[in-house]
Amino acid sequence: MTNHHGKEFLGFLATGPAVGIPENIWKWLACPKMKTDELGRPIQAPYGMRKIEAALIDAGFKAAIIDPDHLNKHLPYAKALMFSHHDYFAFGPPSSTWWGITRKEPVNYKSFMELVNRPEIKKEKERGLKILAGGPSVWQWLWREDMIEKLGVDSLVDGEADKVVIKLAQMVLDNEPLPKYVYIGGDEAPSVDEIAEIKGASVNGLIEIMRGCARSCRFCSVTLRPTRYYPLEKIEKELLVNVRNGVKHGIIHSDDVLFYGAIGIHPR
Ligand code: SF4
């Protein structure tokens, strides 16, 4: 987990292998480790993970984002381990380009493989720990089904999981079998009121201001979900969470921020 020294675009280095310098220096440049509290909770975390954490906390679950370096403290007591990754198997354009040119595994892929192959995770899996994977690159698992079995993933969660994750967490607690694959389509997308507000700081103060996209390009999966604009008060609340947690700048995010508030393709 990292904030790339506060400079997002340095993150692209983390989609490649170390070139010309030792890997530890490359990783320090691209993705220095995030500071954490004594429990291993990072001072900043990816926004999407913050949303899932917030949804679970609001629903009464004891959930927290834990830096991978501190997982050992919590795994023996955990019922579920939920992963997110921006590019699990390095299929994304930057990672696959780096990999293709250099013939070396990108550091983001290597780091994930090292994490999921840790013996302590395997041990807890045998004890009954459930593993769920979601996030923006969850689709990649569908092209690496071999890894689902190999790494012991119980459930893949594809889409806006703000509501579904609560049902899945309850199923874990009730020892119910989890669905292998959950796809959250447009009909099940949460309304703005159903989207929890983050509880801790997001990486570099990034927050979303809308979901969906009014431009409605026919080829785009974003248009399969309804367009929802966050009211200004909701945006301000999340900015203030970041400020209170020491992140004094912000990045507003959506698939097309300039469409904020638009009706169809006509700006207001
Ligand atoms: S997110 Fe981009 S590609 Fe998708 S509908 Fe909006 S403008 Fe088009």
Side-chain angles (χ1 to χ4, degrees):
M1 206 166 285
T2 181
N3 68 356
H4 312 289
H5 300 282
K7 297 174 177 57
E8 280 71 41
F9 286 99
L10 271 182
F12 281 106
L13 286 180
T15 65
V19 178
I21 54 176
E23 188 171 288
N24 58 345
I25 297 177
W26 183 273
K27 283 170 87 169
W28 179 83
L29 278 172
C31 42
K33 285 179 184 284
M34 187 74 76
K35 283 187 191 149
T36 68
D37 66 9
E38 67 284 357
L39 295 176
R41 294 176 296 190
I43 57 168
Q44 297 171 29
Y47 184 80
M49 295 177 78
R50 284 286 188 220
K51 283 300 209 193
I52 295 301
E53 177 190 51
L56 288 169
I57 290 172
D58 283 354
F61 292 94
K62 196 173 172 190
I65 299 171
I66 299 296
D67 185 277
D69 287 351
H70 297 264
L71 270 182
N72 287 4
K73 292 177 194 161
H74 304 281
L75 276 177
Y77 316 103
K79 294 273 187 194
L81 177 60
M82 298 181 174
F83 288 120
S84 179
H85 199 295
H86 70 285
D87 197 7
Y88 283 107
F89 300 109
F91 292 170
S95 313
S96 53
T97 305
W98 275 105
W99 200 337
I101 291 171
T102 64
R103 306 281 171 202
K104 288 168 69 183
E105 293 174 345
V107 293
N108 57 356
Y109 172 79
K110 275 180 79 175
S111 302
F112 180 63
M113 286 300 134
E114 283 163 17
L115 170 63
V116 289
N117 281 302
R118 283 192 199 166
E120 56 269 30
I121 294 182
K122 286 195 191 317
K123 181 177 154 210
E124 295 306 329
K125 182 76 197 141
E126 281 160 21
R127 189 251 308 160
L129 178 78
K130 299 292 182 201
I131 298 181
L132 296 88
S137 65
V138 71
W139 60 271
Q140 296 184 5
W141 290 88
L142 302 180
W143 300 88
R144 290 301 309 269
E145 287 185 38
D146 55 314
M147 298 302 272
I148 298 174
E149 214 59 45
K150 187 172 170 203
L151 302 178
V153 174
D154 293 282
S155 193
L156 299 175
V157 186
D158 190 351
E160 294 182 28
D162 309 67
K163 287 195 291 183
V164 167
V165 73
I166 296 167
K167 285 188 201 156
L168 292 171
Q170 193 58 52
M171 290 170 83
V172 169
L173 291 189
D174 295 341
N175 287 320
E176 288 180 30
L178 294 174
K180 280 270 178 209
Y181 177 70
V182 182
Y183 177 77
I184 301 118
D187 293 347
E188 296 150 303
S191 66
V192 168
D193 291 339
E194 290 171 323
I195 300 173
E197 282 138 25
I198 59 172
K199 312 293 182 217
S202 56
V203 167
N204 296 331
L206 182 144
I207 55 158
E208 69 184 352
I209 58 170
M210 56 188 271
R211 291 191 187 178
C213 177
R215 200 184 289 271
S216 306
C217 302
R218 272 199 239 165
F219 56 83
C220 177
S221 62
V222 172
T223 60
L224 298 176
R225 302 189 294 270
T227 304
R228 288 145 293 162
Y229 302 116
Y230 282 18
L232 293 178
E233 299 75 35
K234 191 175 181 83
I235 296 170
E236 185 182 28
K237 273 189 199 166
E238 294 204 324
L239 286 170
L240 287 172
V241 169
N242 280 327
V243 171
R244 279 196 295 275
N245 286 282
V247 185
K248 300 273 166 44
H249 55 275
I251 302 169
I252 52 172
H253 167 78
S254 85
D255 287 290
D256 193 339
V257 285
L258 297 180
F259 256 107
Y260 178 78
I263 300 168
I265 58 167
H266 303 292
R268 280 198 285 197

